[in-house]
């Protein structure tokens, strides 16, 4: 069973076809053992969505036979993952479910949601895409399609920290985050010894720059920052008025002039950001 994580694709953007070629797939049910495990996890996921629920509701939500639901719920209760609360008339998850996330240090949900969309974009348009998240007073690249791009200006950027004031991915975060967070980050940057953070000491100039970025709807790398042979455009990924990450496309300035980038690629990267945000919302449900 294939599970597409996004249900929103703007009309006119053919990279959505490529997206469906890299969508997530559930484990194929090749044996009774795997099928039993799949059913148990499906039931536990549904149980976790409710404070208290009933056998009938679990049956209707999962499509599993009631006899199977009853049997699996008895097993989950016996193992401490669920409890039958007769006073409230149903089943609820128990404290042992917390142990299932112990040791998990995976990427943020937004990075998980972004992967198939970013890969599909690069497959369609060739230019590399990067996804960055805030890390203290900079952003750090947590996913990149550079290995999948035939025209990438860089060999690799994964785990690279980028300035909030000098780099497009950082500027996109700083410009679109809430005012209070922006003020706090600028205070931190003003104390930084990094050359790309110096603008933070001139608060008025920094705020003017960020206001310009918000007005135009996207961020660009400082043209004085190396390498000057390439450029980057970046936009925020916003869910519930919060910037979860930023997404950027890097290109050779010899291949595209700024007018082409603004007219053609900014709308495409904006659609990419919107689709990732929609996927995050879908995964959170």
């Amino acid at each position: 069973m294939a599970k597409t994580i996004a249900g929103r694709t703007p009309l006119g953007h053919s990279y959505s076809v490529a997206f469906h070629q890299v969508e997530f797939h559930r484990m194929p049910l090749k044996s009774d053992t795997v099928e039993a495990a799949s059913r148990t996890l499906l039931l536990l996921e549904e149980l976790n969505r409710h404070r208290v629920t009933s056998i009938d509701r679990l049956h209707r939500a999962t499509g599993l036979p009631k006899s199977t639901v009853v049997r699996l719920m008895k097993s989950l209760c016996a193992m401490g993952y669920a409890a039958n609360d007769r006073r409230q008339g149903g089943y609820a998850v128990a404290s042992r479910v917390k142990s299932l996330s112990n040791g998990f240090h995976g990427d943020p949900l937004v990075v998980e949601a972004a992967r198939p969309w970013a890969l599909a974009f690069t497959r369609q348009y060739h230019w590399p895409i990067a996804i960055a998240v805030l890390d203290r007073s900079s952003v750090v690249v947590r996913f990149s399609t550079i290995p999948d791009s035939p025209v990438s200006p860089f060999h690799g950027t994964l785990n690279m920290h980028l300035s909030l004031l000098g780099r497009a991915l950082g500027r996109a975060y700083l410009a679109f985050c809430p005012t209070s967070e922006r003020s706090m980050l600028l205070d931190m940057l003003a104390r930084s010894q990094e050359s790309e953070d110096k603008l933070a000491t001139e608060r008025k100039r920094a705020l003017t720059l960020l206001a310009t970025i918000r007005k135009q709807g996207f961020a660009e790398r400082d043209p004085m920052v190396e390498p000057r042979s390439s450029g980057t455009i970046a936009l925020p990924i916003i869910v519930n008025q919060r910037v979860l990450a930023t997404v950027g496309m890097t290109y050779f300035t010899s291949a595209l002039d700024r007018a082409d980038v603004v007219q053609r690629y900014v709308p495409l990267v904006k659609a990419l950001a919107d689709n990732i945000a929609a996927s995050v919302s879908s995964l959170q449900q």
Side-chain angles (χ1 to χ4, degrees):
M1 291 183 290
K3 180 185 179 185
T4 301
I5 63 170
R8 177 183 177 184
T9 307
L11 295 175
H13 295 287
S14 56
Y15 77 88
S16 63
V17 176
F19 166 79
H20 290 288
Q21 298 173 1
V22 290
E23 61 187 356
F24 294 129
H25 291 267
R26 290 180 182 171
M27 183 183 293
L29 305 181
K30 295 182 179 179
S31 68
D32 291 342
T33 302
V34 173
E35 186 171 359
S38 176
R39 289 179 171 183
T40 302
L41 292 172
L42 178 64
L43 191 62
L44 190 56
E45 286 178 355
E46 181 59 30
L47 184 66
N48 198 44
R49 293 189 177 99
H50 309 278
R51 188 175 65 84
V52 177
T53 191
S54 64
I55 293 293
D56 185 63
R57 184 183 293 176
L58 291 170
H59 156 67
R60 285 186 280 107
T62 63
L64 297 174
K66 281 190 176 181
S67 58
T68 300
V69 174
V70 170
R71 175 171 53 82
L72 292 177
M73 286 308 304
K74 287 183 178 178
S75 297
L76 288 172
C77 288
M79 296 173 67
Y81 291 110
N84 185 0
D85 191 337
R86 291 185 174 84
R87 292 174 298 177
Q88 298 190 58
Y91 290 85
V93 292
S95 59
R96 193 176 180 185
V97 296
K98 295 180 181 179
S99 66
L100 297 176
S101 62
N102 288 345
F104 176 73
H105 301 288
D107 291 327
L109 185 64
V110 64
V111 179
E112 177 185 339
R115 280 192 178 97
W117 286 114
L119 288 167
F121 186 102
T122 297
R123 182 174 296 174
Q124 184 72 25
Y125 300 110
H126 308 304
W127 297 111
I129 292 294
I131 307 296
V133 298
L134 184 69
D135 185 13
R136 300 182 184 179
S137 59
S138 64
V139 293
V140 59
V141 177
R142 286 304 186 204
F143 181 73
S144 170
T145 63
I146 284 176
D148 304 276
S149 171
V151 289
S152 175
F154 300 109
H155 293 296
T157 59
L158 199 62
N159 295 323
M160 182 180 291
H161 283 78
L162 302 172
S163 165
L164 291 175
L165 280 171
R167 307 303 177 113
L169 287 161
R171 287 178 167 187
Y173 188 96
L174 192 58
F176 291 93
C177 70
T179 303
S180 59
E181 183 180 4
R182 184 181 309 120
S183 179
M184 178 187 70
L185 289 170
L186 285 171
D187 287 342
M188 294 171 64
L189 293 171
R191 294 189 291 271
S192 169
Q193 300 301 311
E194 298 293 331
S195 60
E196 290 184 32
D197 297 336
K198 285 183 179 179
L199 182 59
T201 60
E202 302 178 55
R203 181 65 65 96
K204 187 175 180 179
R205 280 187 58 206
L207 291 175
T208 299
L209 169 67
L210 298 172
T212 300
I213 291 171
R214 286 195 300 277
K215 184 176 180 179
Q216 71 182 11
F218 66 96
E220 297 174 273
R221 187 198 309 162
D222 185 333
M224 301 305 294
V225 171
E226 296 290 350
R228 300 185 193 183
S229 61
S230 65
T232 300
I233 53 171
L235 287 94
I237 300 169
I238 300 175
V239 176
N240 297 327
Q241 300 182 328
R242 178 190 169 199
V243 180
L244 299 184
T246 56
V247 54
M249 184 195 86
T250 300
Y251 59 94
F252 285 111
T253 53
S254 60
L256 299 172
D257 60 36
R258 188 176 185 276
D260 292 334
V261 172
V262 173
Q263 183 176 357
R264 183 183 184 197
Y265 287 101
V266 167
L268 290 173
V269 178
K270 175 65 166 64
L272 175 60
D274 289 344
N275 279 319
I276 294 170
S279 292
V280 171
S281 297
S282 176
L283 288 169
Q284 288 176 336
Q285 293 177 358

